[in-house]
Amino acid sequence: MTRAVHFAKNERGEAPTIIAASAVNGLGYDAHQSWAFWRADGNALTGTPFRLHTGERATMATVRSIDPRCFGAERMSTLLTAALMHLEPPLSALRAAVRAEIFLAVSEHVAEGDDPYFGRWRRRLEGAAGSWLHARGLVPSVRLFARGHAGLAHAMLDAARALEEGRVELAIVGGVDTYYDPLRFDILEEQERIFDQSRTDAFIPGEGAAFAVLARPSVARQAGASALAYVESVAVAEEPAPMGSDRPCNAVGLTGAMRAVTRRLKAEGRQLEWMIDDLTNEEYRARELVLAMPRAIAPGGLDTAGQDYAQIAADAFRGDHLPECFGDLGAATMPTALALATQAFLRGDPAARNCLVTASSTGPDRGVIFVRSAGEGRR
C-alpha cells in the first residue's frame, strides 16, 4: 500500500521550507564540504579493524576524525552531535520559535528499545538529541523512526504534518547511521553482504549523519530565513518481497512510491530533472531500480495508445547513486542526499531545479521525497 502526501496546494504555492541543512560523513564535515568533494569525485574509503572471511581488513568509508577505537552507540552519538552542531548558526535567528522537534531516522536494528545490544544505541541517540535541544532552550522532543534507508520518508511525513497542523514551528528532520561496529559487521558478514575482492555483488559500508531544518513558510519569512528548497511530495510504500525473501522482487513498493510523485508531475505538465538513489552493487537493489525506473519515469501513455503521452523525465535528466562516493550510509542515506540537493540548488551544480530522492530499506519500507529549488517557480 502506498501512502503519499503532496504539499504546496494553496494559491501561494507554499510547501514546507528547508532553511538549513547539515551533513557529516567520510567526504565532508558539513553540507558544503560533502557537496564539494562529491562533485570532485572524492573517495572516503579506508581500511578498518574488522576482518572479513578472507582474513583481510574490511574496507569502509569512515569519518577519519573520529577515534578508530570509538564504535557503535558512542560513534553514532558523535556523528549525531556533529551534524546538529552545524545547524546552530542558521537557527540563531529563530530562537523565539520554541516549539521544535527532532524527527530522526535510524537503523532497523534500533527498533526494539529492550534489545540487549541495540537498545543502548536507541537510548544513547534519544539522550544526545534531547540534550542538544535542551541546551538551546528548546523542549527536548525527539521521535525515532527505525526503518533504515527509507526512514527519512516516514520522518518527513510526520514532520511536515506537524508543521502543517501548527504543532511545531521547526522540524529538524534527519538520520544517523554507522556500520563501524563489531556486531553489525558480524551480521553483514554472515549475510555475505560486505564487499571484498571475490564478493563483488556486495556493498561498501559507510557512516554519517545529516539533517534538514523545516519551517512553516510564514515562520521562515518572519525570521528572515532564506529558503534553500521546498519539500513538495513525500511517499512511502511497502515491498511484499524485501531483501532476504524467498520470493522474487517485483519492485512493487518502490514503483508505487515513485509513481505517486511522477503522476503528479505529469498531471501538472512538469518534468523530473534529477534523481538520487541508494543503489549499490547488490543484485537486489539493481533489479529493483531497473524495474521501478521505467514504470515511474518512462513517458507513459501506452495503456491508452499514446493518447495521454507526456514526457516525465527531462531531456537532460540526471541520475546519481549516492553510495558510489559515500559508501552505504544506511539511515543517513536519504538525509545526505537531501543535503546534497540543497547545496546543488544553491550553487547551480548539477543544474537541476528539482530532485527525487529514493531509498529502499532492507525490510519492506520504501520511500521517496521530491524537493524543488527555491529558485524554481510553480509552473
Side-chain angles (χ1 to χ4, degrees):
M1 180 177 179
T2 301
R3 182 161 60 108
V5 177
H6 304 296
F7 304 100
K9 293 181 179 178
N10 61 25
E11 59 185 14
R12 293 182 65 115
E14 293 184 328
T17 306
I18 299 177
I19 60 172
S22 68
V24 174
N25 48 68
L27 283 187
Y29 207 63
D30 59 28
H32 183 194
Q33 283 185 5
S34 299
W35 167 83
F37 286 112
W38 169 67
R39 295 304 294 137
D41 294 325
N43 189 312
L45 303 183
T46 185
T48 69
F50 308 111
R51 297 286 178 176
L52 298 169
H53 66 103
T54 59
E56 299 178 351
R57 294 169 64 193
T59 299
M60 184 174 170
T62 62
V63 179
R64 301 182 190 184
S65 59
I66 301 179
D67 190 331
R69 296 168 295 182
C70 176
F71 62 88
E74 182 182 359
R75 198 171 184 96
M76 285 186 72
S77 63
T78 300
L79 290 165
L80 175 76
T81 304
L84 288 172
M85 178 184 69
H86 290 290
L87 298 177
E88 294 182 10
L91 287 178
S92 59
L94 297 165
R95 294 296 185 191
V98 294
R99 289 187 297 169
E101 189 168 353
I102 291 178
F103 299 79
L104 183 64
V106 293
S107 166
E108 296 100 325
H109 290 296
V110 191
E112 301 298 331
D114 57 355
D115 184 279
Y117 189 80
F118 292 110
R120 183 166 55 90
W121 290 34
R122 186 182 186 95
R123 293 187 294 273
R124 185 71 177 267
L125 290 172
E126 289 174 331
S131 296
W132 185 85
L133 286 172
H134 180 72
R136 281 141 195 87
L138 301 170
V139 176
S141 180
V142 182
R143 294 196 59 194
L144 263 60
F145 298 80
R147 297 175 179 268
H149 279 233
L152 186 73
H154 289 268
M156 190 70 76
L157 278 175
D158 280 23
R161 187 175 294 109
L163 287 168
E164 197 171 45
E165 295 173 356
R167 287 185 279 122
V168 297
E169 282 87 18
L170 291 179
I172 303 169
V173 192
V176 60
D177 211 342
T178 183
Y179 291 98
Y180 198 98
D181 178 80
L183 181 55
R184 290 201 73 179
F185 254 89
D186 285 347
I187 293 172
L188 291 171
E189 181 65 3
E190 184 178 348
Q191 296 171 340
E192 299 183 350
R193 295 183 62 200
I194 296 288
F195 174 85
D196 62 27
Q197 296 303 317
S198 61
R199 191 191 297 153
T200 55
D201 59 340
F203 73 88
I204 297 175
E207 62 180 357
F211 287 93
V213 179
L214 270 67
R216 299 173 67 185
S218 58
V219 172
R221 284 194 297 271
Q222 291 170 7
S226 300
L228 298 179
Y230 297 102
V231 179
E232 275 204 9
S233 301
V234 182
V236 297
E238 290 192 356
E239 171 57 49
M243 291 185 187
S245 171
D246 56 0
R247 293 175 292 173
C249 171
N250 291 320
V252 173
L254 185 59
T255 299
M258 291 176 67
R259 272 184 168 175
V261 174
T262 56
R263 279 175 176 164
R264 186 176 191 231
L265 291 177
K266 179 179 177 180
E268 296 178 350
R270 303 167 67 195
Q271 292 186 326
L272 179 64
E273 300 183 13
W274 186 19
M275 188 176 109
I276 307 178
D277 59 58
D278 60 347
L279 180 69
T280 64
N281 286 345
E282 293 179 285
E283 183 180 347
Y284 181 99
R285 291 193 184 279
R287 174 181 172 83
E288 184 178 40
L289 192 62
V290 165
L291 289 173
M293 278 282 289
R295 297 172 185 168
I297 298 182
L302 297 180
D303 292 339
T304 57
Q307 293 180 20
D308 62 345
Y309 172 88
Q311 183 173 328
I312 297 173
D315 289 337
F317 173 80
R318 177 188 175 95
D320 284 297
H321 313 311
L322 191 76
E324 285 185 343
C325 293
F326 295 91
D328 188 308
L329 296 177
T333 299
M334 289 190 91
T336 303
L338 203 59
L340 293 180
T342 63
Q343 291 298 306
F345 293 156
L346 184 65
R347 304 175 192 283
D349 186 12
R353 295 169 297 176
N354 59 54
C355 181
L356 181 68
V357 178
T358 76
S360 298
S361 300
T362 55
D365 293 303
R366 303 293 181 263
V368 304
I369 299 173
F370 179 72
V371 292
R372 66 177 170 90
S373 166
E376 181 196 18
R378 295 278 297 170
R379 295 175 294 165

